[in-house]
């Protein structure tokens, strides 16, 4: 998602960003194969933050993130930070493929439609990004919700298997060991609650991730323009200072004067990463309460006497009773960090993936 400043009104220090890579320009087989490998690595790196966030959200009292991490490492080792990762990774690959396809196809079509309707390029880009993020999240949740339900239950059950003490451990003691692995969890949930059990919180997942993605992609588009605009202002000030000090740089290349500035690939990547982090933090803050409620709905099961798990209303009341409305923001630190880091790594990886998967000139013209 790049800005096409070359199409806007020229300025003294116009910054030309490389043109966006459209869906039809991609080699699809390379795109999906490389995407599966790259995003598997990203998921493995960020998974511990997701585990910490999930455990904080289901805890019955507030426990600092650092204490939670120390307790897990002490009692469960590094494996505790990767509980459910196999299940999550298995589902993430098809979910990512759905997400990327819906994102690129929608963005390309909506962007062209918005431009034909007469929207300015910045507005058309923001609208296309928002609608693409919305449709991509809705498509991917068909796969992601069952994967979330299973992997989150595996994430939180390990702490209930260790006997003894209080403190952090007692905050999690209500969640006993019930599943051996992802396959066992899938079978037991299906036998107990049917397909509906695998889609617990599906509506809230849509309400959480669809607006979150729309906000993120729109914010990312706006953030990029702000960052590039700030760089343009900085460069103009530097130029004015050089002129005031009598330092004048003369270029023999007229294209340098007419074409403006063309940032290299590293600069573009830095701007994309910074914009993604800004958008990720903003999106995490807005959608945190819905994510906490969704996680509790998906994780907290019924008891052995056949009673069903808590309803949406009961989940909200329990949260408020435990810690007031601020209880809805438990796990905000890990989630904010996870979403910001995920956004930065995701967008830089994603843009790198698109560059790697671009068809050569012969394939494009054939």
């Amino acid at each position: 998602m790049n800005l096409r400043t070359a199409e806007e009104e020229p300025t003294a220090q116009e910054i030309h960003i490389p043109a966006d890579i459209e869906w039809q320009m991609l080699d699809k087989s390379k795109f999906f194969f490389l995407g599966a490998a790259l995003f598997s690595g990203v998921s493995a790196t960020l998974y511990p933050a997701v585990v910490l966030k999930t455990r904080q959200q289901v805890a019955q009292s507030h426990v600092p993130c650092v204490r939670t991490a120390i307790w897990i490492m002490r009692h469960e080792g590094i494996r505790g930070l990767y509980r459910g990762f196999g299940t999550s990774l298995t589902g993430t690959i098809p979910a990512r493929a759905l997400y990327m396809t819906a994102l690129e196809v929608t963005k390309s079509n909506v962007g062209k439609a918005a431009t034909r309707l007469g929207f300015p390029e910045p507005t058309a880009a923001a609208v296309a990004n928002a609608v693409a993020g919305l449709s991509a999240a809705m498509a991917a949740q068909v796969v992601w919700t069952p994967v979330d339900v299973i992997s989150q239950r595996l994430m939180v059950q390990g702490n209930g298997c260790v006997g003894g003490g209080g403190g952090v451990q007692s905050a999690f003691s209500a969640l006993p060991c019930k599943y051996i692995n992802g396959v066992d969890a899938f079978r037991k949930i299906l036998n107990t609650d049917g397909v509906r059990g695998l889609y617990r919180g599906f509506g809230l997942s849509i309400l959480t991730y669809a607006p979150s993605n729309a906000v993120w992609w729109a914010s990312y588009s706006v953030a990029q323009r702000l960052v590039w605009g700030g760089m343009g202002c900085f460069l103009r000030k530097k130029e004015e200072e050089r002129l005031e000090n009598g330092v004048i740089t003369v270029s023999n290349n007229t294209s340098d004067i007419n074409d403006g500035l063309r940032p290299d690939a590293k600069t573009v990547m830095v701007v994309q990463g910074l914009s993604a982090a800004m958008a990720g933090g903003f999106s995490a803050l807005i959608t945190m309460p819905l994510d906490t409620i969704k996680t509790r709905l998906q994780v907290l099961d019924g008891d052995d006497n056949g009673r069903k798990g808590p309803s949406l209303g009961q989940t909200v009341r329990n949260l408020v009773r435990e810690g007031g409305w601020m209880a809805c923001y438990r796990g905000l630190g890990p989630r904010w960090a996870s979403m910001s880091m995920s956004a930065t790594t995701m967008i830089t990886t994603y843009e790198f993936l698109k560059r790697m998967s671009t068809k050569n000139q012969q394939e494009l013209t054939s």
Side-chain angles (χ1 to χ4, degrees):
M1 275 43 71
N2 299 308
L3 308 177
R4 299 191 184 105
T5 45
E7 297 175 8
E8 298 172 10
E9 293 182 7
T11 62
Q13 286 289 346
E14 186 177 336
I15 301 178
H16 294 257
I17 313 304
D20 200 1
I21 300 170
E22 302 291 346
W23 176 248
Q24 63 271 15
M25 299 165 65
L26 297 173
D27 180 333
K28 308 302 186 298
S29 58
K30 189 186 291 186
F31 180 68
F32 288 122
F33 178 77
L34 288 175
L38 289 170
F39 283 111
S40 294
V42 171
S43 297
T45 304
L46 300 173
Y47 195 78
V50 179
V51 172
L52 290 175
K53 183 266 301 183
T54 302
R55 290 205 179 186
Q56 284 193 292
Q57 287 176 323
V58 300
Q60 295 181 357
S61 59
H62 175 68
V63 184
C65 178
V66 175
R67 286 186 61 203
T68 304
I70 292 172
W71 187 91
I72 292 173
M73 288 296 295
R74 183 180 298 165
H75 291 86
E76 303 174 38
I78 193 70
R79 288 183 62 186
L81 293 173
Y82 281 91
R83 287 191 182 276
F85 178 67
T87 301
S88 177
L89 186 61
T90 301
T92 293
I93 293 172
R96 283 283 184 196
L98 263 176
Y99 184 94
M100 292 188 294
T101 302
L103 180 76
E104 289 299 327
V105 171
T106 306
K107 181 155 64 72
S108 179
N109 291 331
V110 172
K112 290 174 183 175
T115 303
R116 283 198 299 267
L117 289 171
F119 285 97
E121 198 275 333
T123 306
V127 170
N129 277 306
V131 176
L134 190 73
S135 65
M138 292 178 71
Q141 281 310 311
V142 175
V143 177
W144 252 323
T145 297
V147 172
D148 263 355
V149 169
I150 295 170
S151 62
Q152 286 174 345
R153 292 194 185 197
L154 293 173
M155 284 179 201
V156 299
Q157 72 169 355
N159 41 33
C161 303
V162 182
V168 178
Q169 186 173 354
S170 63
F172 297 117
S173 59
L175 299 172
C177 264
K178 299 177 73 173
Y179 313 111
I180 300 171
N181 51 38
V183 174
D184 184 56
F186 174 81
R187 181 176 54 80
K188 288 180 177 177
I189 294 169
L190 205 59
N191 288 340
T192 304
D193 301 318
V195 175
R196 288 184 63 184
L198 293 171
Y199 280 89
R200 280 180 67 88
F202 178 70
L204 267 180
S205 294
I206 295 292
L207 286 175
T208 300
Y209 292 119
S212 173
N213 269 264
V215 168
W216 189 90
W217 283 104
S219 300
Y220 172 66
S221 178
V222 172
Q224 273 206 97
R225 293 189 176 277
L226 291 174
V227 174
W228 284 120
M231 286 183 66
C233 290
F234 174 77
L235 292 170
R236 279 195 294 273
K237 284 184 179 179
K238 283 289 186 183
E239 185 181 20
E240 289 169 4
E241 288 176 4
R242 286 199 302 270
L243 291 172
E244 287 175 3
N245 295 330
V247 179
I248 302 174
T249 304
V250 179
S251 175
N252 294 323
N253 190 346
T254 55
S255 65
D256 290 342
I257 299 170
N258 296 328
D259 290 348
L261 298 170
R262 295 187 181 276
D264 58 20
K266 287 183 180 179
T267 304
V268 172
M269 188 175 290
V270 168
V271 172
Q272 288 171 343
L274 178 60
S275 303
M278 292 165 60
F282 181 65
S283 180
L285 187 65
I286 289 177
T287 59
M288 186 67 206
L290 283 174
D291 186 68
T292 300
I293 296 166
K294 173 195 72 72
T295 301
R296 284 209 164 197
L297 272 176
Q298 291 177 332
V299 170
L300 298 181
D301 207 351
D303 58 25
D304 294 332
N305 296 323
R307 281 187 292 185
K308 293 182 178 180
S311 65
L312 174 61
Q314 289 171 328
T315 301
V316 174
R317 286 194 294 273
N318 290 341
L319 263 173
V320 175
R321 185 167 58 247
E322 289 168 14
W325 287 106
M326 287 306 294
C328 293
Y329 282 88
R330 283 179 187 162
L332 176 61
R335 186 167 190 257
W336 184 88
S338 174
M339 284 190 69
S340 296
M341 289 188 296
S342 177
T344 301
T345 53
M346 186 274 287
I347 202 65
T348 52
T349 302
Y350 189 63
E351 295 291 355
F352 172 74
L353 170 64
K354 288 173 71 176
R355 287 196 296 272
M356 290 285 291
S357 305
T358 305
K359 297 176 182 176
N360 58 41
Q361 199 63 36
Q362 286 183 335
E363 292 175 314
L364 286 172
T365 54
S366 61

